[in-house]
Amino acid sequence: MPSPWRSHWPLDPGTAFCNHGSFGACPTAVLEEQQRLRDEMERDPVGFMRTRREALWDEARGRFADFVGADAEGTVLVRNATTGVNTVLRSWPLRPGDEVVVTDHGYRACTLAARRVASDTGANVRVAQLGTPAHDVVDRVLGAVTTRTRLAVIDHVTSPTGLVLPIADLVRELAARGVETVVDGAHAPGMVDTDAGSLGAAAYTGNGHKWMCAPKGAAFLWVRKDLRDDVRPLVTSHGEGVRRPGRSRLHDRFDWSGTDDPTAFLAVPAAIDTLAGMIEGGWPAIRERNTRLAAWGRAQLADAGFTPAGPQDGIGSMAAALVSPSMTADEGLALEDRLFDEHRVRAPITFVGDAAHVRLSVHLHTDEDDIDRLVEALTRLR
């Protein structure tokens, strides 16, 4: 039987959509709320931007912050987690010889951002090798730390392999060695129980348009209290020189970066409420159901001969398995295209070094039949 929740999404019914993790998928009801907000904005653009937007922005920020376990005072809204990571890296006072640690399972764009900032400041990037399959994560990250390490950029949930890392342990152990952590939580909100403000990290950023199912382009960045005056947006706008009564410096700097469409952010409360209302038990039940389905899918991939990318306790709403120990990026893209063109299955081929993985990612719209189609298609194309 198809997923009883599939009808809430405008997804192509003929496609086995096993790739929620790349760009998310937004329910029809949330898209309708975003359009309602757009219609309100366009009826009076000046009035909306000058008065109405700020109240709605504050509401969205508060709901977002509460959902991820952060305080609203330390939370700003950014377009995506990549922007959040870049923002903190660009604000960090790195000096020649300092080191930034990333992992080989990290999101490539954020690793490139770390390398760019290191090149500009004379710092260096060290890569912690978690391995394929990943194991001994904490020890391997700490093994990359030296006396010159100042900052670590660590995924809460790894993008290429979908592993939920022991982020609280990592932040604590890195701090004990004098290393601050920027948590790339792109996939975490809605997938795992997120407590961004209590980890002790320097900053935490995550997307609302993935597992929370908000419209695309809605993310948050939380900054620890002692660092909030030092973190500046990538775009300097009016808030740098104009202070609003009762507003923090952080909010003044980030709340207005120029004219754009704010409705993806403003629809975040609708996304939170819409998903919670789909299933008895709300968000805890969503996370439990998706974890159970992803674990089942991981087992099906393993039974078909595809080695899981990490331990069973690293399962959230994604699971990855090795397709080939050595494959080029072009070969991976060709395989991904064949999955869709020949079998109508959407699933990405991701990489850790040269090792190619298929990454399964599920939400309420995904069912066991979708996963069976993925496994059968991969088996035929192997």
Side-chain angles (χ1 to χ4, degrees):
M1 293 292 293
S3 164
W5 301 284
R6 178 76 176 231
S7 62
H8 290 282
W9 276 265
L11 291 164
D12 177 5
T15 297
F17 189 65
C18 299
N19 189 16
H20 186 93
S22 283
F23 305 107
C26 194
T28 301
V30 180
L31 292 170
E32 290 173 346
E33 172 62 10
Q34 183 184 27
Q35 187 59 50
R36 186 194 67 77
L37 288 161
R38 281 197 179 117
D39 291 343
E40 179 184 349
M41 175 173 64
E42 296 304 334
R43 281 194 295 271
D44 182 10
V46 174
F48 188 92
M49 289 296 192
R50 288 182 61 184
T51 58
R52 179 81 169 127
R53 175 189 178 277
E54 186 169 294
L56 292 172
W57 193 265
D58 286 344
E59 178 189 359
R61 185 207 329 267
R63 291 293 306 280
F64 210 154
D66 184 64
F67 188 84
V68 300
D71 62 289
E73 283 300 307
T75 301
V76 293
L77 302 180
V78 294
R79 282 296 175 187
N80 46 63
T82 303
T83 298
V85 170
N86 273 264
T87 298
V88 180
L89 285 171
R90 283 291 173 190
S91 299
W92 207 263
L94 292 171
R95 299 177 179 179
D98 287 349
E99 294 174 350
V100 179
V101 166
V102 299
T103 81
D104 60 338
H105 286 239
Y107 187 50
R108 183 170 180 266
C110 293
T111 297
L112 290 172
R115 292 191 184 282
R116 172 74 181 274
V117 170
S119 176
D120 290 347
T121 60
N124 299 299
V125 173
R126 291 175 60 85
V127 181
Q129 302 292 330
L130 307 187
T132 51
H135 59 285
D136 301 326
V137 169
V138 174
D139 289 342
R140 285 173 174 259
V141 169
L142 296 179
V145 171
T146 75
T147 57
R148 302 194 69 93
T149 306
R150 302 291 177 261
L151 192 65
V153 180
I154 306 292
D155 292 35
H156 192 162
V157 182
T158 62
S159 179
T161 46
L163 296 172
V164 181
L165 298 187
I167 196 66
D169 294 340
L170 284 163
V171 171
R172 183 181 62 253
E173 293 298 329
L174 286 164
R177 289 157 178 77
V179 179
E180 296 280 13
T181 304
V182 178
V183 180
D184 179 0
H187 289 273
M191 180 195 291
V192 296
D193 191 9
T194 308
D195 197 12
S198 299
L199 290 173
Y204 190 114
T205 185
N207 291 320
H209 52 256
K210 290 186 184 283
W211 308 99
M212 291 172 67
C213 296
K216 290 160 186 62
F220 81 97
L221 169 64
W222 174 85
V223 181
R224 202 174 62 214
K225 188 172 184 179
D226 58 303
L227 300 172
R228 291 172 188 173
D229 286 344
D230 301 319
V231 174
R232 300 193 176 200
L234 299 177
V235 175
T236 300
S237 192
H238 297 291
E240 187 65 32
V242 177
R243 296 300 307 276
R244 294 172 294 172
R247 295 286 177 164
S248 69
R249 192 69 167 140
L250 186 73
H251 286 182
D252 277 340
R253 283 173 167 159
F254 278 86
D255 281 1
W256 180 269
S257 60
T259 303
D260 64 4
D261 183 348
T263 58
F265 299 110
L266 305 186
V268 165
I272 294 171
D273 294 339
T274 296
L275 270 291
M278 284 187 188
I279 183 172
E280 185 177 355
W283 278 100
I286 291 172
R287 291 191 290 266
E288 192 277 331
R289 183 264 181 189
N290 289 344
T291 298
R292 186 174 65 249
L293 182 61
W296 184 86
R298 177 184 186 271
Q300 304 312 300
L301 287 165
D303 288 346
F306 300 100
T307 304
Q312 179 71 27
D313 61 4
I315 292 289
S317 300
M318 295 196 289
L322 186 69
V323 172
S324 171
S326 181
M327 182 181 284
T328 67
D330 287 343
E331 289 171 336
L333 184 59
L335 176 56
E336 188 173 323
D337 287 344
R338 289 187 67 192
L339 282 170
F340 183 72
D341 293 341
E342 299 176 24
H343 300 278
R344 306 304 291 181
V345 172
R346 282 292 188 198
I349 303 301
T350 61
F351 287 85
V352 176
D354 293 330
H357 298 78
V358 62
R359 191 190 69 189
L360 163 69
S361 56
V362 307
H363 214 310
L364 291 180
H365 52 69
T366 320
D367 56 43
E368 293 180 356
D369 181 62
D370 293 325
I371 297 171
D372 284 338
R373 286 175 60 185
L374 168 61
V375 174
E376 181 180 356
L378 277 173
T379 302
R380 289 185 178 183
L381 295 175
R382 178 162 43 186

